[in-house]
Amino acid sequence: MAVSDPHSSTPPEVPADSDRAAPAADPADAGWQTVTPEPSLLGESPFWHPHERLLYWVDIARRQLVRADPSTHQRETWNVPSEPGCIAPVECGGLAIALRDGLYRARTWGGALEPLVRFPQHGSTIRFNDGKCDTAGRFWAGTVYEPRDQRRAVLWCIDMRSGKPEVTLKAQNATTANGVAWSADDRTAWWSDTPAHVIHAWDYEAGPAVLRRHRVFHRFDPKPAGWTPGLPDNGGYRGRPDGASVDSAGIYHCAMFEGGRLQRFAADGTPAGEIALPVACPTMPCFGGEDLRTLFVTTSREKRPAEELTRTPLAGCTLARRVEVPGLPVNFFRIG
């Protein structure tokens, strides 16, 4: 099994958030609407299906897949056997679903789960988390080490284009994998470790899926000592990097968990503004609608304090607003 870069060496120094002026954010209520009124506990992994004109996402905590029509606010849920970390549409139909112990395919909504690749090494402490497909149709899926006392989370690449699974370990030495994405020109790849408050980047060669020249893309300020939710101005804490998506201009949009915002970066790491949200815990953005100019964001309400939920009643809802720059379309999983 090939290992691209465990980034086990000391990361290069980069300025933390406090060393840079924070751009003004849009008001948190600027145009946000809910896709459906029913909140998820822990929404994640949204994608817009261009053929079905539906938005898909997962509720990890409830062990559910969700799909909804934003035009009617109608939704469907599907209970699955274990936590669904991430999902992707399959080119020849159906869904690819990363459950706790492996990657599965469902040919129809609610249909039988066909195992594609099993990961028995996950056991009871590791499960899949954030992931999506690259432009070649390979499924990249990161894991989370649930005790969070060791850096045992990794990033896998699963290639089924030949009809047989080719599984490659691409990165490791993390605690909670998130933020996997590729630049609009397919020359940069990103991956984040949420508890470490860091986003990693590599030069990316799309044909062979090779990662080169690892670097720390951005390191955020850690949570202040003694911090608790609900402090004025969030106690100076601006959140930690969760899921991400990229628009057609190449801007990386990162959900800042407990920061109530999306942080935007140019491909060279320059901050490109932020978008405020009416919730504390966004988890992952994506772009959709027929023109890809609707920005969707999944959010979390799991284990949040009652005062916060009272103050942010949309917590857990999947949110939507119109934007000027379209996003990139979802990549489909290819099975030979």
Side-chain angles (χ1 to χ4, degrees), residues 35-181:
V35 174
T36 68
E38 302 92 349
S40 297
L41 272 180
L42 176 54
E44 276 281 10
S45 193
F47 76 82
W48 173 259
H49 201 301
H51 310 319
E52 300 177 7
R53 298 180 181 177
L54 297 175
L55 183 71
Y56 283 74
W57 69 92
V58 303
D59 186 340
I60 297 175
R62 287 198 176 110
R63 301 184 177 186
Q64 286 183 339
L65 273 59
V66 187
R67 66 179 182 180
D69 182 344
S71 67
T72 64
H73 306 292
Q74 297 298 307
R75 74 167 195 159
E76 298 177 89
T77 60
W78 171 16
N79 295 329
V80 289
S82 64
E83 299 92 333
C86 49
I87 54 175
V90 178
E91 189 174 60
C92 51
L95 292 171
I97 307 165
L99 297 178
R100 173 174 286 272
D101 66 339
L103 184 65
Y104 294 78
R105 180 190 179 187
R107 296 176 186 269
T108 59
W109 177 258
L113 296 173
E114 305 169 14
L116 299 176
V117 186
R118 290 272 175 80
F119 288 78
Q121 66 269 39
H122 283 185
S124 61
T125 59
I126 297 175
R127 64 167 175 81
F128 278 111
N129 198 46
D130 174 271
K132 63 183 64 165
C133 291
D134 63 18
T135 55
R138 296 166 292 226
F139 200 126
W140 296 59
T143 61
V144 54
Y145 177 61
E146 292 175 312
R148 292 177 172 83
D149 57 0
Q150 298 179 53
R151 301 175 65 83
R152 293 183 57 191
V154 303
L155 178 63
W156 297 102
C157 176
I158 303 166
D159 188 350
M160 291 283 299
R161 293 174 298 171
S162 69
K164 296 181 180 179
E166 297 179 15
V167 181
T168 307
L169 180 62
K170 291 296 184 180
Q172 55 186 340
N173 197 33
T175 304
T176 303
N178 266 308
V180 66

Side-chain angles (χ1 to χ4, degrees), residues 6 14 57 72 78 132 182 198 203 226 234 242 280 308 321:
V14 297
W57 69 92
T72 64
W78 171 16
K132 63 183 64 165
W182 298 268
V198 66
D203 293 345
N234 209 34
D242 205 310
E308 179 181 291
R321 64 170 277 186

